[in-house]
Amino acid sequence: MNSNLVPGSIQNSMQSNNQSLAQAFMNVSHMILCDCSGSMDTVDFKDGRSRWERMKEALAKVQAQHPGQIMVISFSDQAEVNLDGVPSPVTGSTNLDAALIYALSHQINELQIQLIVISDGMPDDSEGCLKTAAQISAPIDTIFIGPEDPQDIGRAFLQKLARKTGGTHADAAGARFLKEKMDLLFLGQSHEK
Amino acid sequence: MTAFTVSLASSGSEFELKCKYDRAFIDALKIEVPSFGRTWDNDHRTWHIDPDWYKEVENLVWYHFKFRPTWPQARLFKPNYRDIDFKLMYVGNSKGDPDRATKRASSGTDGKSWDYIFWEFALANWFTGVTPSRPRQQLANLYSILEIPEDFPTDQMKAAFWKQAKIWHPDVNKTPEATERFKLVNEAFETLSKPLRRARYDIGLKIEKEEMFQAGHNSRGNYSNISQYGSTFKPPVRCGILRARGYDRMGRFYITEVEDWNDIVDQRGRTLVTKWDMRSQTVVQEWYYS
């Protein structure tokens, strides 16, 4: 039993359509790389919900809107796939490079899968990330969900990552309005380049 | 030896299958029936087949030998249930197999062998009190549907399709599964004959295999959400002294019900747990405060 299975997640699609993972993967259009590092436990607003909880909620809504099209990949110390659509529990560091390498090694270039990175801070190896990103031909869209501080280096890094790959950057400080920002990216629109 | 014989093994837990050597049949058998559903007894030149897979074997025998075997007591096969007590030192994540959603067993070990197989529903029932549904429909590996290897040339796909279409077309094949199988043959051809679609499917297969491996070797030892076969239940990683009910099959004990599970606790009140890291050759034991 998995009470957390998100409607519209890949696993949900597999069950609904009686498909294998390989068959379900045929419909994937986006990989969303989700930061699940320790800082995602931070609560930015008075409602008491952490960045991770807000991200989880927003992801659930987007998956319901685009059933079977989104592969959620969490990264902290390492990267892992979340077929049930729920990002991994918060722990450890920000190894974004591992998630980018995962995407690259699964030929997203050839398959024309879009990448969206959601993160609240600087990755462990920012130079490594940029080097890996340079090998990815698709634009990488980024959404910053860290603190409001405009000088935050995590925000600056994500802006750079998007700019260098031809992607779009969006701000959703504290993961507020994250769903709306993702909607804009899915529509190919942006308020901030 | 006749061209093909099939019998029920003396233990009553598996079929014995003898046939003349046919390389194509053996290759197909290895594709259709996963390794845990078959073993080869070299001394007696006999295949031992898990009764759960007799349908697949029947179809293969018909295709390769044009012989439809009578399965002794196949439909009457009933496991002999018994209770056992044992010390459990590791439970892996549940695994399925690419073609069938009914095989959702986790492996347990006494620290020396892998002789205990938990059906996932048995673990879920013990730890949550809820029995997950057990989907019965077959999931498809498109390559095995066309009975071809994964590196089969795309330009020869049509020949592979026609070969299977001739076998499974409902006008020719009157078995109940023919219509469904013919649909799968068409789907397999539609996907595998187009290079871009095939590339995407191949990546999906790669991810599928990786996820199955991860499901068996989850280094974090937490509740995994990567099992792909229906439920995603992952038992806590603690060891225990167990009483369980189940049946013998293929040299292993399949557990259908956990009747009692006592954690192994030291004098400081810590519980023994195990994990299996990616690079480790064996399970690692650790003591944790509950």
Side-chain angles (χ1 to χ4, degrees), chain B residues 94-155:
Chain B
S94 297
K95 289 189 217 176
D97 67 80
D99 289 345
R100 184 180 276 221
T102 52
K103 292 278 188 184
R104 287 187 289 147
S106 292
S107 298
T109 177
D110 58 1
K112 297 171 193 159
S113 61
W114 289 92
D115 293 341
Y116 303 105
I117 306 294
F118 286 90
W119 282 104
E120 187 180 63
F121 64 82
L123 287 167
N125 200 24
W126 174 257
F127 286 106
T128 69
V130 176
T131 304
S133 60
R134 300 174 65 188
R136 304 298 300 178
Q137 276 183 287
Q138 189 168 330
L139 299 178
N141 175 326
L142 301 184
Y143 287 99
S144 64
I145 294 293
L146 293 184
E147 291 192 6
I148 53 174
E150 290 178 18
D151 59 355
F152 193 78
T154 306
D155 58 3

Side-chain angles (χ1 to χ4, degrees), chain A:
Chain A
M1 184 188 70
N2 180 11
S3 56
N4 293 324
L5 190 62
V6 170
S9 63
I10 292 182
Q11 193 168 337
N12 180 241
S13 291
M14 289 162 61
Q15 288 185 4
S16 306
N17 305 321
N18 195 36
Q19 288 178 318
S20 67
L21 173 54
Q23 287 171 302
F25 186 73
M26 304 286 290
N27 298 320
V28 170
S29 61
H30 286 73
M31 283 185 182
I32 301 186
L33 313 185
C34 303
D35 187 347
C36 292
S37 62
S39 59
M40 288 293 289
D41 247 349
T42 306
V43 176
D44 297 284
F45 301 103
K46 285 181 182 170
D47 67 359
R49 286 183 303 151
S50 67
R51 292 171 190 167
W52 183 87
E53 286 168 318
R54 285 173 178 275
M55 177 174 74
K56 179 182 151 190
E57 266 180 35
L59 280 171
K61 288 178 185 169
V62 173
Q63 288 174 88
Q65 221 171 311
H66 304 277
Q69 293 179 31
I70 296 169
M71 177 171 267
V72 175
I73 298 169
S74 296
F75 62 91
S76 51
D77 291 333
Q78 58 188 357
E80 67 182 2
V81 179
N82 306 112
L83 295 177
D84 64 356
V86 182
S88 300
V90 168
T91 181
S93 64
T94 313
N95 192 354
L96 170 60
D97 198 26
L100 291 172
I101 289 169
Y102 180 90
L104 185 63
S105 66
H106 291 82
Q107 296 181 24
I108 60 155
N109 287 347
E110 287 77 5
L111 305 182
Q112 297 176 329
I113 290 172
Q114 301 294 307
L115 272 190
I116 298 177
V117 175
I118 301 174
S119 178
D120 74 340
M122 274 295 275
D124 301 343
D125 178 8
S126 57
E127 283 308 307
C129 287
L130 292 172
K131 277 183 192 163
T132 305
Q135 299 174 58
I136 297 175
S137 58
I140 301 176
D141 295 332
T142 59
I143 305 179
F144 178 69
I145 54 172
E148 294 277 8
D149 178 8
Q151 303 302 319
D152 189 277
I153 54 169
R155 174 190 279 112
F157 169 78
L158 290 180
Q159 284 172 334
K160 187 175 178 182
L161 180 63
R163 194 172 59 243
K164 286 214 167 226
T165 59
T168 299
H169 175 75
D171 251 18
R176 194 161 60 165
F177 305 123
L178 176 58
K179 158 74 170 52
E180 289 74 9
K181 303 293 180 183
M182 277 196 274
D183 285 344
L184 289 173
L185 294 178
F186 267 79
L187 290 170
Q189 297 173 358
S190 166
H191 64 292
E192 184 187 342
K193 278 269 182 182

Side-chain angles (χ1 to χ4, degrees), chain B residues 82-102:
Chain B
R82 65 187 177 97
D83 289 334
I84 59 162
D85 296 294
F86 68 106
K87 186 176 181 182
L88 178 77
M89 296 307 290
Y90 180 77
V91 183
N93 281 7
S94 297
K95 289 189 217 176
D97 67 80
D99 289 345
R100 184 180 276 221
T102 52

